[in-house]
Amino acid sequence: MLANMQGVSEVHSQSGEKIEPLLSLTGISKSFPGVKALSDVSLELYPGRVTALVGENGAGKSTIVKILTGIYQPDEGEISIDGRPVTFSTAQDAGEAGVTAIHQETVLFDDLSVAENIFIGHAPKTRFGLIDRAAMAEKARALLERVGAQIDPAVTLRDLGIANKHLVAIARALSIDAKIVIMDEPTASLSHKEIEETYELVERLKAEGKAILFISHKFDEIFRIADRYTVFRDGQMVGAGRIDDINERELVKLMVGRSVDQVFPNRSPQLGEEVLRVVGYSHPTEFEDIGFTLRKGEILGFYGLVGAGRSEFMQALFGITRPSKGAIRIDDEIAVIRDPNAAIRHGIVYVPEDRGTQGAIKGLPIFQNISLPSLKETSKNGFLRLAEEFRLARDYTQRLDLRAAALDQDIGELSGGNQQKVVIAKWLATKPRVIILDEPTKGIDIGSKAAVHEFMAELAAEGLAVIMVSSEIPEVLGMSDRVIVMREGRIAAEFNREEMTPEHLVRAAAGIAEVRT
Amino acid sequence: MSVTANETGSIERQIPDRLKSPAQRFLASWELLLLGVAVAVFTLNSFASPYFLDAWNLSDATYNFTEKAMIAFAMALLIISGEIDLSVASIIALASTAMGFAVQMGADTSVLILVGVGVGLLCGAFNGVLVTGLGLPSIVVTIGTMSLFRGISYIVLGDKAYTGYPSSFAFFGQGYVWWVVSFEFVLFVLFAIFFAIVLHRTSFGRLVYAIGNNPVGALFSGIQVARVKFVLFLLTGAMSGVAAICLTSRLGATRPSIAFGWELEVVTMVVLGGVSILGGAGSIPGVVIAAFVMGMVTFGFGLLNVPGIVMSIFIGLLLIAVIALPRIARQVLARGRG
């Protein structure tokens, strides 16, 4: 219904004449094995205009950025610049066509100078084909001036602060004399003053006639600097238009507006006694004053934007990092968790978000992954008993409906969803009391997703206390009995089942006023 | 892969334990290939020299690898865990110097054993603290301690040598248990069995593999990664101490240049034995066979009066060949398919 909004509003310049889009994407689709990342989306960018791209995590924003910068090629659809169709087979093609991107975490080289960072790959050359250092320094100085940075181009990048590094990244992006500038959450890790400077820069780029795609989760800045908006949801474009024609509430609705009771298991939670109480957990840089309780059979959701400190807090709870302050009670007894081993002993286990490096131990077979934290039980006097390990692996993989050729298959050969099942099986085999699932369904296929949800509900029904960190609103709403929203390292709000609405969550996470606590 | 022998019509999907039997795995293993190389070297040697197939000559030949192999067993575990210790030969020098010094102080054989193993443990602990405590890369740390440990020996001894070891001490490097079977060879066999059990049959060995394949994942699985690695450095140090006892006993004297360059031969033995230099994979039987291969090659060349430098060229080529061959084979196969 909303798809027909595209292109409805023509864009006019101040004098009233119609402006043609500088870049337009039409009918773009992109699939990955098991997932359709984008389906038939369109996007238009206009010269001298800032278009905000809005959507939940996983809505397809980063996929479209990668298509625009030539990293991915679309399965279907057309990209045109100035009305002429183009194809980007490589990142270089995109650069030559005038597209440049400033990423949230730009890859820069710490040990090179600022000027070298700006011009790496396209440094000005002398007659002999050597790098013309004088010209490079000169051009770098001009570029840095343009982005409003007072940085000596000869300085080594390592010596700059994060904000100045960011400005170097922007200068680098501009060194490719781009017509189209993509800014992917440019203010995510900046302080207030630096954010203001970034806005000024955006204004300057606008005045120069660049077409800007601005990706952000922060509503205040979207309404402040964007001229137009495009909303993605589940890989589809669900709305686009002038920012003046929409308000925050409507934008949030577009972002999250879908029925959430689709695939989630029906639960009637039976809450038991309290198992976990966290008081005043703090960390010098990542989170502050986190406190909550958790009961048997409960699924507690943790929602927030990327970088809100949820994973960092969970890893402290699991003993990977140590808190600077705070205490934990488990079953009314104070528990001191100095390392993961202690957490496991107290019955707290953690299924990490970064499955590839923190969860699965690739190179070891499935059954050895599962028995790893339970070796004390499966072995006898320190000697392995393979039969016991296989039995453990059989029991838990069967419950999780694992798909694999054999239990001695390398876990690295499995699909993401099945790897996740093995990691969950590994922890269940330790018979935990509290299981923390950090983005448990991120990047796994729909089928495995449903299986993980189903299983999570089963576990809660058996009396396990579950903490689920998720950035997917439908998942949070569909699974949680209670939700804690974190923002900038603190608890921003807590909602029970009745108060849980997509609007409440998004508002609390983004720090929009009128949040009920 | 959905239909397997285990699925005999039952409705419930069941994943079989193993895809291949242990015998099938052995047939496709590195160890079998290496065993073939060992047999080939043995056969070539026995044709090349009439003196090769002599019981006493063969017994002598084992001294080419027994001491190095003892260190290689511990080194194999260390490399599988993703670390390395390049200071092992220097630990031998320092341990031997300390034993020589103890002899001057009038120590008897039992004290010498304690000194040898003790110095090895201390050196291993020193490496271990630097790597696991301070988080420094082991290759850099042990290159440093390689110079440090041997440097101390040079300062203590200069161009002198410690001699005068008690006669009972000679048994470790020169004694025979039965007929041609030397004490060192028996020790080699016992340590091979010990390390094979530790690596392949205990939960400690499993932790070593887990850490080598994914140290972060191991940490997130509740494994005390630093502690396991520290123990491995201790073990490697202790085995270097044991090797120092055997070698010093065999030579009957300590010079600061003792065991010079052995660290490379030990690492070569480990890698030739199929241990991944990147960590995570390898076996003790592989290292045992590699020890025999290297010992036989050295001995055979010795019988043919091939100079030492040619031997090291050959060992170097052998190492590159065995590491490159599987990769080349894979590329050729891939090209054939494509």
Side-chain angles (χ1 to χ4, degrees):
Chain A
M1 70 175 187
L2 286 158
N4 57 10
M5 282 181 73
Q6 64 188 89
V8 161
S9 53
E10 291 180 341
V11 177
H12 299 272
S13 71
Q14 270 167 343
S15 54
E17 54 190 303
K18 193 180 157 210
I19 302 179
E20 293 297 327
L22 183 57
L23 175 134
S24 60
L25 301 181
T26 37
I28 298 282
S29 295
K30 176 76 186 171
S31 296
F32 299 103
V35 207
K36 186 139 195 180
L38 291 174
S39 98
D40 194 25
V41 300
S42 302
L43 177 70
E44 288 176 344
L45 301 180
Y46 297 87
R49 296 283 184 276
V50 177
T51 304
L53 179 57
V54 195
E56 279 186 76
N57 295 327
K61 292 178 310 231
S62 50
T63 310
I64 203 88
V65 170
K66 285 183 176 150
I67 285 173
L68 278 174
T69 50
I71 294 166
Y72 291 161
Q73 282 67 50
D75 301 336
E76 281 167 56
E78 195 174 81
I79 308 174
S80 53
I81 291 180
D82 281 331
R84 269 171 290 124
V86 290
T87 45
F88 300 153
S89 321
T90 62
Q92 206 173 349
D93 287 352
E96 278 162 14
V99 180
T100 189
I102 300 161
H103 293 287
Q104 201 176 345
E105 284 154 31
T106 312
V107 186
L108 290 172
F109 304 92
D110 263 346
D111 291 311
L112 297 185
S113 75
V114 168
E116 285 165 337
N117 264 289
I118 292 174
F119 286 105
I120 200 155
H122 57 276
K125 302 265 170 69
T126 65
R127 279 183 297 148
F128 307 110
L130 302 174
I131 290 174
D132 185 347
R133 296 202 164 263
M136 188 164 81
E138 199 48 52
K139 284 186 173 180
R141 195 164 289 123
L143 277 167
L144 289 166
E145 207 160 293
R146 222 171 111 203
V147 303
Q150 279 153 357
I151 305 170
D152 179 358
V155 159
T156 306
L157 193 79
R158 189 183 292 285
D159 299 331
L160 299 184
I162 175 101
N164 277 335
K165 279 187 188 172
H166 201 77
L167 290 173
V168 173
I170 294 172
R172 167 167 172 73
L174 298 181
S175 70
I176 314 171
D177 198 30
K179 290 179 290 184
I180 296 148
V181 181
I182 300 165
M183 303 177 92
D184 192 353
E185 296 199 56
T187 62
S189 52
L190 300 184
S191 73
H192 185 71
K193 182 169 161 282
E194 294 154 3
I195 290 174
E196 286 300 322
E197 286 168 5
T198 309
Y199 294 163
E200 276 169 36
L201 177 74
V202 172
E203 291 297 334
R204 226 171 304 149
L205 294 176
K206 230 171 105 167
E208 288 173 17
K210 313 271 190 217
I212 299 166
L213 182 66
F214 194 90
I215 299 174
S216 176
H217 284 288
K218 298 179 185 171
F219 285 82
D220 52 344
E221 74 181 17
I222 291 167
F223 281 93
R224 180 169 158 183
I225 65 164
D227 304 294
R228 306 181 50 78
Y229 68 89
T230 293
V231 184
F232 278 16
R233 190 206 303 150
D234 291 340
Q236 290 178 320
M237 200 213 63
V238 293
R242 276 157 34 102
I243 209 88
D244 294 344
D245 299 339
I246 196 166
N247 60 30
E248 244 174 54
R249 171 175 281 278
E250 288 165 343
L251 200 57
V252 169
K253 209 166 191 174
L254 274 178
M255 253 175 82
V256 299
R258 82 182 123 173
S259 61
V260 290
D261 47 16
Q262 35 185 12
V263 285
F264 297 99
N266 240 334
R267 303 177 47 227
S268 45
Q270 306 267 311
L271 302 193
E273 69 264 34
E274 177 184 310
V275 252
L276 176 69
R277 176 180 288 266
V278 178
V279 185
Y281 240 52
S282 302
H283 182 277
T285 53
E286 303 298 341
F287 52 85
E288 182 146 356
D289 198 24
I290 306 293
F292 63 91
T293 61
L294 181 66
R295 292 163 67 182
K296 270 191 166 176
E298 188 176 30
I299 299 181
L300 174 61
F302 266 77
Y303 180 74
L305 300 180
V306 173
R310 292 169 300 161
S311 295
E312 290 77 6
F313 165 67
M314 296 306 161
Q315 291 183 7
L317 204 53
F318 184 58
I320 298 283
T321 50
R322 286 187 202 175
S324 55
K325 267 194 309 204
I328 300 176
R329 293 178 85 87
I330 295 166
D331 291 337
D332 264 342
E333 264 178 61
I334 300 247
V336 180
I337 292 173
R338 286 188 207 284
D339 55 29
N341 211 12
I344 296 164
R345 261 203 322 277
H346 281 107
I348 299 179
V349 298
Y350 175 70
V351 177
E353 174 183 2
D354 186 352
R355 196 185 313 122
T357 56
Q358 300 172 348
I361 299 193
K362 292 175 189 168
L364 285 194
I366 294 166
F367 80 95
Q368 293 185 9
N369 263 279
I370 291 173
S371 63
L372 197 56
S374 309
L375 281 177
K376 272 204 183 72
E377 280 67 45
T378 57
S379 63
K380 195 175 180 184
N381 302 326
F383 286 92
L384 297 170
R385 292 185 297 181
L386 290 187
E388 290 294 308
E389 289 183 50
F390 275 118
R391 202 172 52 78
L392 199 70
R394 269 198 302 272
D395 286 356
Y396 286 93
T397 52
Q398 213 153 5
R399 277 192 69 182
L400 277 152
D401 192 27
L402 181 81
R403 302 296 160 91
L407 292 175
D408 69 347
Q409 195 182 1
D410 183 346
I411 188 174
E413 294 171 5
L414 302 182
S415 72
N418 282 308
Q419 286 184 19
Q420 184 73 320
K421 288 178 190 171
V422 173
V423 176
I424 294 175
K426 157 174 108 174
W427 288 125
L428 292 179
T430 66
K431 302 206 168 50
R433 329 208 36 207
V434 177
I435 186 165
I436 304 167
L437 298 152
D438 196 347
E439 303 284 0
T441 62
K442 186 181 168 187
I444 69 178
D445 58 286
I446 306 288
S448 295
K449 236 177 188 170
V452 169
H453 287 148
E454 195 69 47
F455 195 65
M456 218 190 296
E458 242 175 72
L459 293 176
E462 288 168 19
L464 193 67
V466 180
I467 295 177
M468 180 189 68
V469 177
S470 175
S471 301
E472 288 183 43
I473 289 188
E475 184 171 73
V476 173
L477 296 177
M479 295 304 303
S480 318
D481 299 316
R482 200 154 50 96
V483 180
I484 287 175
V485 181
M486 278 181 73
R487 188 169 72 87
E488 290 170 6
R490 291 170 164 277
I491 292 184
E494 186 175 329
F495 301 107
N496 61 31
R497 199 139 196 158
E498 288 72 48
E499 301 164 321
M500 257 188 243
T501 65
E503 286 80 8
H504 280 158
L505 295 185
V506 170
R507 282 170 168 275
I512 302 171
E514 300 164 78
V515 169
R516 290 170 54 202
T517 45
Chain B
M1 272 297 135
S2 63
V3 181
T4 67
N6 281 22
E7 270 182 303
T8 47
S10 63
I11 298 156
E12 186 126 312
R13 254 183 73 91
Q14 216 193 357
I15 303 169
D17 285 356
R18 295 178 196 277
L19 212 52
K20 287 180 184 157
S21 69
Q24 279 172 311
R25 280 185 178 243
F26 177 69
L27 286 177
S29 71
W30 178 257
E31 286 78 1
L32 187 65
L33 181 73
L34 208 55
L35 208 55
V37 174
V39 171
V41 170
F42 192 88
T43 315
L44 278 176
N45 270 340
S46 47
F47 280 112
S49 165
Y51 308 108
F52 183 78
L53 282 178
D54 173 89
W56 283 102
N57 277 347
L58 283 175
S59 171
D60 279 352
T62 62
Y63 284 110
N64 283 321
F65 61 82
T66 43
E67 291 141 7
K68 289 167 198 156
M70 287 181 220
I71 306 173
F73 297 146
M75 183 77 86
L77 269 64
L78 197 59
I79 292 180
I80 290 172
S81 84
E83 302 292 345
I84 197 166
D85 184 349
L86 293 177
S87 71
V88 286
S90 299
I91 296 178
I92 293 181
L94 190 57
S96 183
T97 305
M99 285 188 288
F101 184 76
V103 167
Q104 314 304 309
M105 298 290 110
D108 64 11
T109 299
S110 55
V111 174
L112 292 182
I113 304 301
L114 288 177
V115 168
V117 177
V119 169
L121 278 171
L122 279 177
C123 293
F126 188 68
N127 285 331
V129 165
L130 289 177
V131 173
T132 64
L134 297 181
L136 304 173
S138 58
I139 189 150
V140 180
V141 165
T142 59
I143 284 176
T145 53
M146 176 167 88
S147 304
L148 173 69
F149 297 152
R150 197 178 286 279
I152 295 172
S153 295
Y154 270 106
I155 287 173
V156 172
L157 277 167
D159 53 2
K160 292 198 297 289
Y162 281 134
T163 50
Y165 286 97
S167 55
S168 63
F169 185 67
F171 179 74
F172 297 100
Q174 301 170 25
Y176 288 84
V177 174
W178 174 74
W179 190 41
V180 296
V181 181
S182 68
F183 173 76
E184 265 195 32
F185 189 76
V186 171
L187 210 54
F188 159 82
V189 171
L190 290 177
F191 276 122
I193 294 167
F194 171 76
F195 278 97
I197 288 173
V198 168
L199 183 60
H200 302 298
R201 292 280 179 269
T202 69
S203 45
F204 181 81
R206 179 66 57 73
L207 302 186
V208 172
Y209 281 111
I211 291 169
N213 276 299
N214 182 350
V216 178
L219 186 72
F220 274 77
S221 299
I223 297 175
Q224 287 167 320
V225 176
R227 189 187 287 182
V228 171
K229 284 186 175 175
F230 184 77
V231 169
L232 294 179
F233 276 106
L234 275 186
L235 263 180
T236 309
M239 290 310 291
S240 305
V242 172
I245 294 167
C246 293
L247 182 61
T248 308
S249 158
R250 185 155 65 90
L251 302 175
T254 301
R255 270 172 238 283
S257 61
I258 188 171
F260 191 82
W262 276 26
E263 63 281 330
L264 291 184
E265 288 184 56
V266 170
V267 172
T268 304
M269 201 179 272
V270 171
V271 174
L272 185 63
V275 172
S276 163
I277 196 74
L278 302 171
S283 78
I284 293 297
V287 177
V288 171
I289 304 168
F292 275 103
V293 169
M294 283 177 67
M296 292 298 165
V297 168
T298 318
F299 180 57
F301 279 8
L303 285 179
L304 296 174
N305 287 323
V306 175
I309 188 67
V310 177
M311 272 189 227
S312 58
I313 289 173
F314 183 82
I315 294 285
L317 287 176
L318 186 68
L319 182 66
I320 294 170
V322 293
I323 292 171
L325 273 177
R327 184 159 298 188
I328 293 168
R330 223 174 297 137
Q331 277 169 356
V332 168
L333 283 177
R335 209 169 300 147
R337 253 180 255 129

